[in-house]
Amino acid sequence: MEDKKVIFSGIQPTGTFTLGNYIGAIRNWGSLQEEYNCIYCVVNMHAITVKQEPSKLRKNTLDAYALLMACGIDPEKSILFIQSHVKTHAELSWLLSCSTQFGELSRMTQFKDKSRRHPDDINAGLFTYPVLMAADILAYNADLVPVGIDQKQHLELARNIAQRFNQRYGELFTVPEAYIPEVGAKVMSLQEPSKKMSKSDENPNACILILDDKDTIIRKFKRAVTDSEAEICYREGKDGINNLMTIYSSVTGKNFDEITSEFSGKGYGDFKLAVGEAVADHLAPIREKFAQFSSDKEYLKKCYTEGAEKALAYSQRIVSKAYRKVGFVDKK
């Protein structure tokens, strides 16, 4: 790989990405490939910290892989792989768990949150998965990791583990930094525009999935919550319209002044229809590419197999050095 900084990012296979996932993060990943050595991973090992239906997990994993390609991740430019195909992640995770303090893991807010949501399955993996996340990053000596607010604590732990290992055994791991991308627009729920768009929302009209067909997208936007003012402009107190303007701006490139001018004298119905059509047209090529990639099982398998081979070759060098540093005997 060229001598560029390394970016690592993983995404869980939890079903189709939302419009919020796409606008806020994933659509920017493709452009990073030109400037950085990018390593992208479908983290299916993380997914089993909560109960999964095996057949559904398999399908979601392959769909997530095909979707990343459809969103612009090029397996020729980036290393794109499925986590469970690369054994070094689990191997390094054990090593790093012995350089991680119990108290550090017990302070992880996501563990507390998920324990509350899944009280019948508070398993050891749920407790230790931040160490596996650290292994995901450190196995590639990643310089930068794109993180949202909910993952900052885990990146800080990965930094602490790397520093502690380096102090104890000698310099090996790069201490990763957070990558703060250009501000991706924050997309809110179409039904409760004061909260973030989420696929787990009980109201199906609240969330746009990037594989929704055109009719579904337009129908959901037509039902979007607005206000009683009938004025299309961006200002405080107009959460619903502000959200629709943000989305429209993100897919058309128009700024808020241009949008206000474009819809001057028009009603909310016209505006909601225009936003729906613009989003559907913007996502159409992704839906087409996804259908193409997911139907060509042979090509998809070739991509994730080669991706895993590249990831293993890259990470094995680093993990082998870590094994030697802690005093493990070489097998050769």
PDB file of all heavy atoms in Angstrom, residues 209-238:
ATOM      1  N   LEU A 209     -34.917   4.241   4.480  1.00  0.00           N
ATOM      2  CA  LEU A 209     -33.832   3.279   4.252  1.00  0.00           C
ATOM      3  C   LEU A 209     -33.312   3.486   2.840  1.00  0.00           C
ATOM      4  O   LEU A 209     -34.095   3.753   1.920  1.00  0.00           O
ATOM      5  CB  LEU A 209     -34.346   1.847   4.436  1.00  0.00           C
ATOM      6  CG  LEU A 209     -34.946   1.535   5.812  1.00  0.00           C
ATOM      7  CD1 LEU A 209     -35.532   0.119   5.833  1.00  0.00           C
ATOM      8  CD2 LEU A 209     -33.913   1.676   6.917  1.00  0.00           C
ATOM      9  N   ILE A 210     -32.002   3.361   2.635  1.00  0.00           N
ATOM     10  CA  ILE A 210     -31.465   3.724   1.327  1.00  0.00           C
ATOM     11  C   ILE A 210     -31.876   2.744   0.225  1.00  0.00           C
ATOM     12  O   ILE A 210     -31.683   3.036  -0.948  1.00  0.00           O
ATOM     13  CB  ILE A 210     -29.934   3.946   1.337  1.00  0.00           C
ATOM     14  CG1 ILE A 210     -29.170   2.671   1.657  1.00  0.00           C
ATOM     15  CG2 ILE A 210     -29.542   5.066   2.274  1.00  0.00           C
ATOM     16  CD1 ILE A 210     -27.663   2.848   1.490  1.00  0.00           C
ATOM     17  N   LEU A 211     -32.465   1.609   0.598  1.00  0.00           N
ATOM     18  CA  LEU A 211     -32.981   0.685  -0.419  1.00  0.00           C
ATOM     19  C   LEU A 211     -34.498   0.790  -0.587  1.00  0.00           C
ATOM     20  O   LEU A 211     -35.085   0.022  -1.344  1.00  0.00           O
ATOM     21  CB  LEU A 211     -32.591  -0.765  -0.078  1.00  0.00           C
ATOM     22  CG  LEU A 211     -31.096  -1.077  -0.108  1.00  0.00           C
ATOM     23  CD1 LEU A 211     -30.844  -2.545   0.213  1.00  0.00           C
ATOM     24  CD2 LEU A 211     -30.475  -0.730  -1.467  1.00  0.00           C
ATOM     25  N   ASP A 212     -35.127   1.732   0.102  1.00  0.00           N
ATOM     26  CA  ASP A 212     -36.561   1.959  -0.121  1.00  0.00           C
ATOM     27  C   ASP A 212     -36.784   2.336  -1.583  1.00  0.00           C
ATOM     28  O   ASP A 212     -35.977   3.070  -2.180  1.00  0.00           O
ATOM     29  CB  ASP A 212     -37.074   3.105   0.766  1.00  0.00           C
ATOM     30  CG  ASP A 212     -37.336   2.677   2.205  1.00  0.00           C
ATOM     31  OD1 ASP A 212     -37.409   1.463   2.467  1.00  0.00           O
ATOM     32  OD2 ASP A 212     -37.469   3.574   3.068  1.00  0.00           O
ATOM     33  N   ASP A 213     -37.905   1.846  -2.154  1.00  0.00           N
ATOM     34  CA  ASP A 213     -38.183   2.221  -3.549  1.00  0.00           C
ATOM     35  C   ASP A 213     -38.737   3.649  -3.599  1.00  0.00           C
ATOM     36  O   ASP A 213     -39.068   4.254  -2.578  1.00  0.00           O
ATOM     37  CB  ASP A 213     -39.141   1.230  -4.211  1.00  0.00           C
ATOM     38  CG  ASP A 213     -40.489   1.138  -3.507  1.00  0.00           C
ATOM     39  OD1 ASP A 213     -41.062   2.192  -3.170  1.00  0.00           O
ATOM     40  OD2 ASP A 213     -40.974   0.007  -3.286  1.00  0.00           O
ATOM     41  N   LYS A 214     -38.845   4.174  -4.808  1.00  0.00           N
ATOM     42  CA  LYS A 214     -39.223   5.583  -4.999  1.00  0.00           C
ATOM     43  C   LYS A 214     -40.590   5.890  -4.388  1.00  0.00           C
ATOM     44  O   LYS A 214     -40.766   6.900  -3.693  1.00  0.00           O
ATOM     45  CB  LYS A 214     -39.215   5.935  -6.482  1.00  0.00           C
ATOM     46  CG  LYS A 214     -39.495   7.410  -6.747  1.00  0.00           C
ATOM     47  CD  LYS A 214     -39.158   7.819  -8.166  1.00  0.00           C
ATOM     48  CE  LYS A 214     -39.286   9.333  -8.342  1.00  0.00           C
ATOM     49  NZ  LYS A 214     -38.777   9.794  -9.643  1.00  0.00           N
ATOM     50  N   ASP A 215     -41.567   5.014  -4.631  1.00  0.00           N
ATOM     51  CA  ASP A 215     -42.913   5.259  -4.107  1.00  0.00           C
ATOM     52  C   ASP A 215     -42.914   5.311  -2.583  1.00  0.00           C
ATOM     53  O   ASP A 215     -43.589   6.151  -1.976  1.00  0.00           O
ATOM     54  CB  ASP A 215     -43.893   4.178  -4.592  1.00  0.00           C
ATOM     55  CG  ASP A 215     -44.197   4.306  -6.071  1.00  0.00           C
ATOM     56  OD1 ASP A 215     -43.889   5.366  -6.652  1.00  0.00           O
ATOM     57  OD2 ASP A 215     -44.733   3.342  -6.663  1.00  0.00           O
ATOM     58  N   THR A 216     -42.167   4.397  -1.954  1.00  0.00           N
ATOM     59  CA  THR A 216     -42.092   4.356  -0.487  1.00  0.00           C
ATOM     60  C   THR A 216     -41.453   5.632   0.055  1.00  0.00           C
ATOM     61  O   THR A 216     -41.925   6.224   1.027  1.00  0.00           O
ATOM     62  CB  THR A 216     -41.283   3.122  -0.026  1.00  0.00           C
ATOM     63  OG1 THR A 216     -41.928   1.941  -0.517  1.00  0.00           O
ATOM     64  CG2 THR A 216     -41.192   3.051   1.500  1.00  0.00           C
ATOM     65  N   ILE A 217     -40.367   6.061  -0.589  1.00  0.00           N
ATOM     66  CA  ILE A 217     -39.665   7.276  -0.145  1.00  0.00           C
ATOM     67  C   ILE A 217     -40.596   8.481  -0.232  1.00  0.00           C
ATOM     68  O   ILE A 217     -40.716   9.262   0.722  1.00  0.00           O
ATOM     69  CB  ILE A 217     -38.391   7.499  -0.986  1.00  0.00           C
ATOM     70  CG1 ILE A 217     -37.341   6.424  -0.652  1.00  0.00           C
ATOM     71  CG2 ILE A 217     -37.801   8.894  -0.749  1.00  0.00           C
ATOM     72  CD1 ILE A 217     -36.139   6.410  -1.570  1.00  0.00           C
ATOM     73  N   ILE A 218     -41.277   8.634  -1.365  1.00  0.00           N
ATOM     74  CA  ILE A 218     -42.169   9.790  -1.541  1.00  0.00           C
ATOM     75  C   ILE A 218     -43.321   9.735  -0.535  1.00  0.00           C
ATOM     76  O   ILE A 218     -43.684  10.753   0.067  1.00  0.00           O
ATOM     77  CB  ILE A 218     -42.677   9.853  -2.997  1.00  0.00           C
ATOM     78  CG1 ILE A 218     -41.515  10.255  -3.915  1.00  0.00           C
ATOM     79  CG2 ILE A 218     -43.847  10.837  -3.129  1.00  0.00           C
ATOM     80  CD1 ILE A 218     -41.813  10.176  -5.389  1.00  0.00           C
ATOM     81  N   ARG A 219     -43.864   8.541  -0.325  1.00  0.00           N
ATOM     82  CA  ARG A 219     -44.966   8.408   0.641  1.00  0.00           C
ATOM     83  C   ARG A 219     -44.521   8.814   2.048  1.00  0.00           C
ATOM     84  O   ARG A 219     -45.234   9.522   2.756  1.00  0.00           O
ATOM     85  CB  ARG A 219     -45.482   6.960   0.656  1.00  0.00           C
ATOM     86  CG  ARG A 219     -46.735   6.770   1.509  1.00  0.00           C
ATOM     87  CD  ARG A 219     -47.251   5.352   1.489  1.00  0.00           C
ATOM     88  NE  ARG A 219     -46.366   4.433   2.190  1.00  0.00           N
ATOM     89  CZ  ARG A 219     -45.634   3.503   1.610  1.00  0.00           C
ATOM     90  NH1 ARG A 219     -45.640   3.343   0.285  1.00  0.00           N
ATOM     91  NH2 ARG A 219     -44.853   2.701   2.319  1.00  0.00           N
ATOM     92  N   LYS A 220     -43.329   8.402   2.458  1.00  0.00           N
ATOM     93  CA  LYS A 220     -42.829   8.743   3.796  1.00  0.00           C
ATOM     94  C   LYS A 220     -42.595  10.249   3.935  1.00  0.00           C
ATOM     95  O   LYS A 220     -42.889  10.837   4.977  1.00  0.00           O
ATOM     96  CB  LYS A 220     -41.531   7.976   4.096  1.00  0.00           C
ATOM     97  CG  LYS A 220     -41.749   6.485   4.362  1.00  0.00           C
ATOM     98  CD  LYS A 220     -40.432   5.774   4.644  1.00  0.00           C
ATOM     99  CE  LYS A 220     -40.633   4.293   4.936  1.00  0.00           C
ATOM    100  NZ  LYS A 220     -39.352   3.597   5.207  1.00  0.00           N
ATOM    101  N   PHE A 221     -42.063  10.877   2.882  1.00  0.00           N
ATOM    102  CA  PHE A 221     -41.846  12.326   2.953  1.00  0.00           C
ATOM    103  C   PHE A 221     -43.172  13.083   2.970  1.00  0.00           C
ATOM    104  O   PHE A 221     -43.290  14.110   3.644  1.00  0.00           O
ATOM    105  CB  PHE A 221     -40.955  12.809   1.808  1.00  0.00           C
ATOM    106  CG  PHE A 221     -39.476  12.681   2.118  1.00  0.00           C
ATOM    107  CD1 PHE A 221     -38.692  11.740   1.484  1.00  0.00           C
ATOM    108  CD2 PHE A 221     -38.884  13.505   3.067  1.00  0.00           C
ATOM    109  CE1 PHE A 221     -37.343  11.618   1.777  1.00  0.00           C
ATOM    110  CE2 PHE A 221     -37.530  13.392   3.375  1.00  0.00           C
ATOM    111  CZ  PHE A 221     -36.759  12.444   2.731  1.00  0.00           C
ATOM    112  N   LYS A 222     -44.168  12.590   2.237  1.00  0.00           N
ATOM    113  CA  LYS A 222     -45.483  13.249   2.242  1.00  0.00           C
ATOM    114  C   LYS A 222     -46.082  13.259   3.649  1.00  0.00           C
ATOM    115  O   LYS A 222     -46.846  14.158   4.007  1.00  0.00           O
ATOM    116  CB  LYS A 222     -46.439  12.540   1.282  1.00  0.00           C
ATOM    117  CG  LYS A 222     -46.242  12.922  -0.182  1.00  0.00           C
ATOM    118  CD  LYS A 222     -47.261  12.201  -1.054  1.00  0.00           C
ATOM    119  CE  LYS A 222     -47.146  12.633  -2.512  1.00  0.00           C
ATOM    120  NZ  LYS A 222     -48.099  11.879  -3.364  1.00  0.00           N
ATOM    121  N   ARG A 223     -45.736  12.241   4.460  1.00  0.00           N
ATOM    122  CA  ARG A 223     -46.270  12.132   5.825  1.00  0.00           C
ATOM    123  C   ARG A 223     -45.375  12.789   6.870  1.00  0.00           C
ATOM    124  O   ARG A 223     -45.635  12.713   8.068  1.00  0.00           O
ATOM    125  CB  ARG A 223     -46.453  10.645   6.172  1.00  0.00           C
ATOM    126  CG  ARG A 223     -47.525   9.970   5.315  1.00  0.00           C
ATOM    127  CD  ARG A 223     -47.596   8.481   5.573  1.00  0.00           C
ATOM    128  NE  ARG A 223     -48.643   7.867   4.765  1.00  0.00           N
ATOM    129  CZ  ARG A 223     -48.850   6.551   4.671  1.00  0.00           C
ATOM    130  NH1 ARG A 223     -48.079   5.714   5.342  1.00  0.00           N
ATOM    131  NH2 ARG A 223     -49.827   6.078   3.921  1.00  0.00           N
ATOM    132  N   ALA A 224     -44.285  13.426   6.419  1.00  0.00           N
ATOM    133  CA  ALA A 224     -43.334  14.036   7.365  1.00  0.00           C
ATOM    134  C   ALA A 224     -44.010  15.148   8.172  1.00  0.00           C
ATOM    135  O   ALA A 224     -44.817  15.919   7.647  1.00  0.00           O
ATOM    136  CB  ALA A 224     -42.138  14.596   6.609  1.00  0.00           C
ATOM    137  N   VAL A 225     -43.647  15.204   9.449  1.00  0.00           N
ATOM    138  CA  VAL A 225     -44.189  16.222  10.358  1.00  0.00           C
ATOM    139  C   VAL A 225     -43.557  17.576  10.038  1.00  0.00           C
ATOM    140  O   VAL A 225     -42.336  17.685   9.860  1.00  0.00           O
ATOM    141  CB  VAL A 225     -43.898  15.825  11.831  1.00  0.00           C
ATOM    142  CG1 VAL A 225     -44.193  16.988  12.768  1.00  0.00           C
ATOM    143  CG2 VAL A 225     -44.714  14.599  12.215  1.00  0.00           C
ATOM    144  N   THR A 226     -44.393  18.618   9.942  1.00  0.00           N
ATOM    145  CA  THR A 226     -43.872  19.970   9.692  1.00  0.00           C
ATOM    146  C   THR A 226     -44.403  20.916  10.780  1.00  0.00           C
ATOM    147  O   THR A 226     -44.236  20.651  11.961  1.00  0.00           O
ATOM    148  CB  THR A 226     -44.251  20.453   8.271  1.00  0.00           C
ATOM    149  OG1 THR A 226     -45.662  20.282   8.085  1.00  0.00           O
ATOM    150  CG2 THR A 226     -43.506  19.676   7.206  1.00  0.00           C
ATOM    151  N   ASP A 227     -45.031  22.033  10.393  1.00  0.00           N
ATOM    152  CA  ASP A 227     -45.619  22.961  11.367  1.00  0.00           C
ATOM    153  C   ASP A 227     -46.792  23.665  10.684  1.00  0.00           C
ATOM    154  O   ASP A 227     -47.143  23.345   9.545  1.00  0.00           O
ATOM    155  CB  ASP A 227     -44.576  23.974  11.875  1.00  0.00           C
ATOM    156  CG  ASP A 227     -43.891  24.726  10.738  1.00  0.00           C
ATOM    157  OD1 ASP A 227     -44.616  25.377   9.949  1.00  0.00           O
ATOM    158  OD2 ASP A 227     -42.655  24.674  10.628  1.00  0.00           O
ATOM    159  N   SER A 228     -47.387  24.598  11.337  1.00  0.00           N
ATOM    160  CA  SER A 228     -48.602  25.239  10.815  1.00  0.00           C
ATOM    161  C   SER A 228     -48.332  26.578  10.126  1.00  0.00           C
ATOM    162  O   SER A 228     -49.261  27.260   9.694  1.00  0.00           O
ATOM    163  CB  SER A 228     -49.606  25.453  11.958  1.00  0.00           C
ATOM    164  OG  SER A 228     -49.013  26.250  12.966  1.00  0.00           O
ATOM    165  N   GLU A 229     -47.038  26.935   9.975  1.00  0.00           N
ATOM    166  CA  GLU A 229     -46.729  28.275   9.444  1.00  0.00           C
ATOM    167  C   GLU A 229     -46.830  28.378   7.923  1.00  0.00           C
ATOM    168  O   GLU A 229     -47.012  29.447   7.379  1.00  0.00           O
ATOM    169  CB  GLU A 229     -45.327  28.697   9.888  1.00  0.00           C
ATOM    170  CG  GLU A 229     -45.216  28.965  11.380  1.00  0.00           C
ATOM    171  CD  GLU A 229     -43.819  29.416  11.763  1.00  0.00           C
ATOM    172  OE1 GLU A 229     -42.919  29.441  10.892  1.00  0.00           O
ATOM    173  OE2 GLU A 229     -43.619  29.757  12.942  1.00  0.00           O
ATOM    174  N   ALA A 230     -46.633  27.248   7.237  1.00  0.00           N
ATOM    175  CA  ALA A 230     -46.665  27.228   5.765  1.00  0.00           C
ATOM    176  C   ALA A 230     -45.596  28.128   5.133  1.00  0.00           C
ATOM    177  O   ALA A 230     -45.801  28.696   4.065  1.00  0.00           O
ATOM    178  CB  ALA A 230     -48.055  27.594   5.247  1.00  0.00           C
ATOM    179  N   GLU A 231     -44.448  28.277   5.804  1.00  0.00           N
ATOM    180  CA  GLU A 231     -43.341  29.061   5.250  1.00  0.00           C
ATOM    181  C   GLU A 231     -42.083  28.196   5.210  1.00  0.00           C
ATOM    182  O   GLU A 231     -41.671  27.631   6.229  1.00  0.00           O
ATOM    183  CB  GLU A 231     -43.082  30.310   6.111  1.00  0.00           C
ATOM    184  CG  GLU A 231     -42.015  31.213   5.518  1.00  0.00           C
ATOM    185  CD  GLU A 231     -41.692  32.415   6.400  1.00  0.00           C
ATOM    186  OE1 GLU A 231     -42.263  32.527   7.504  1.00  0.00           O
ATOM    187  OE2 GLU A 231     -40.852  33.226   5.978  1.00  0.00           O
ATOM    188  N   ILE A 232     -41.511  28.084   4.025  1.00  0.00           N
ATOM    189  CA  ILE A 232     -40.339  27.224   3.849  1.00  0.00           C
ATOM    190  C   ILE A 232     -39.080  28.063   4.052  1.00  0.00           C
ATOM    191  O   ILE A 232     -38.601  28.759   3.145  1.00  0.00           O
ATOM    192  CB  ILE A 232     -40.362  26.551   2.461  1.00  0.00           C
ATOM    193  CG1 ILE A 232     -41.604  25.655   2.351  1.00  0.00           C
ATOM    194  CG2 ILE A 232     -39.100  25.716   2.237  1.00  0.00           C
ATOM    195  CD1 ILE A 232     -42.025  25.343   0.953  1.00  0.00           C
ATOM    196  N   CYS A 233     -38.562  28.029   5.275  1.00  0.00           N
ATOM    197  CA  CYS A 233     -37.318  28.723   5.604  1.00  0.00           C
ATOM    198  C   CYS A 233     -36.710  28.030   6.815  1.00  0.00           C
ATOM    199  O   CYS A 233     -37.399  27.320   7.553  1.00  0.00           O
ATOM    200  CB  CYS A 233     -37.561  30.201   5.907  1.00  0.00           C
ATOM    201  SG  CYS A 233     -38.571  30.470   7.380  1.00  0.00           S
ATOM    202  N   TYR A 234     -35.394  28.225   6.980  1.00  0.00           N
ATOM    203  CA  TYR A 234     -34.663  27.548   8.064  1.00  0.00           C
ATOM    204  C   TYR A 234     -34.544  28.500   9.246  1.00  0.00           C
ATOM    205  O   TYR A 234     -33.886  29.536   9.165  1.00  0.00           O
ATOM    206  CB  TYR A 234     -33.270  27.142   7.576  1.00  0.00           C
ATOM    207  CG  TYR A 234     -32.572  26.157   8.493  1.00  0.00           C
ATOM    208  CD1 TYR A 234     -32.566  24.797   8.208  1.00  0.00           C
ATOM    209  CD2 TYR A 234     -31.912  26.588   9.648  1.00  0.00           C
ATOM    210  CE1 TYR A 234     -31.924  23.883   9.043  1.00  0.00           C
ATOM    211  CE2 TYR A 234     -31.274  25.694  10.490  1.00  0.00           C
ATOM    212  CZ  TYR A 234     -31.283  24.346  10.181  1.00  0.00           C
ATOM    213  OH  TYR A 234     -30.661  23.445  11.014  1.00  0.00           O
ATOM    214  N   ARG A 235     -35.211  28.166  10.334  1.00  0.00           N
ATOM    215  CA  ARG A 235     -35.044  28.961  11.554  1.00  0.00           C
ATOM    216  C   ARG A 235     -35.460  28.146  12.773  1.00  0.00           C
ATOM    217  O   ARG A 235     -36.113  27.108  12.651  1.00  0.00           O
ATOM    218  CB  ARG A 235     -35.821  30.275  11.465  1.00  0.00           C
ATOM    219  CG  ARG A 235     -37.322  30.174  11.468  1.00  0.00           C
ATOM    220  CD  ARG A 235     -37.960  31.551  11.748  1.00  0.00           C
ATOM    221  NE  ARG A 235     -39.405  31.450  11.684  1.00  0.00           N
ATOM    222  CZ  ARG A 235     -40.136  31.856  10.654  1.00  0.00           C
ATOM    223  NH1 ARG A 235     -39.542  32.374   9.585  1.00  0.00           N
ATOM    224  NH2 ARG A 235     -41.449  31.741  10.688  1.00  0.00           N
ATOM    225  N   GLU A 236     -35.061  28.638  13.924  1.00  0.00           N
ATOM    226  CA  GLU A 236     -35.335  27.943  15.188  1.00  0.00           C
ATOM    227  C   GLU A 236     -36.845  27.752  15.376  1.00  0.00           C
ATOM    228  O   GLU A 236     -37.650  28.622  15.036  1.00  0.00           O
ATOM    229  CB  GLU A 236     -34.777  28.768  16.350  1.00  0.00           C
ATOM    230  CG  GLU A 236     -34.652  27.973  17.644  1.00  0.00           C
ATOM    231  CD  GLU A 236     -33.938  28.754  18.741  1.00  0.00           C
ATOM    232  OE1 GLU A 236     -33.204  29.709  18.422  1.00  0.00           O
ATOM    233  OE2 GLU A 236     -34.142  28.402  19.910  1.00  0.00           O
ATOM    234  N   GLY A 237     -37.192  26.571  15.890  1.00  0.00           N
ATOM    235  CA  GLY A 237     -38.597  26.273  16.146  1.00  0.00           C
ATOM    236  C   GLY A 237     -39.296  25.582  14.989  1.00  0.00           C
ATOM    237  O   GLY A 237     -40.456  25.192  15.106  1.00  0.00           O
ATOM    238  N   LYS A 238     -38.593  25.444  13.844  1.00  0.00           N
ATOM    239  CA  LYS A 238     -39.184  24.778  12.682  1.00  0.00           C
ATOM    240  C   LYS A 238     -38.431  23.471  12.424  1.00  0.00           C
ATOM    241  O   LYS A 238     -37.881  23.249  11.338  1.00  0.00           O
ATOM    242  CB  LYS A 238     -39.132  25.697  11.460  1.00  0.00           C
ATOM    243  CG  LYS A 238     -40.047  26.916  11.568  1.00  0.00           C
ATOM    244  CD  LYS A 238     -39.885  27.867  10.382  1.00  0.00           C
ATOM    245  CE  LYS A 238     -40.446  27.311   9.088  1.00  0.00           C
ATOM    246  NZ  LYS A 238     -41.923  27.249   9.085  1.00  0.00           N
TER     247      LYS A 238
END
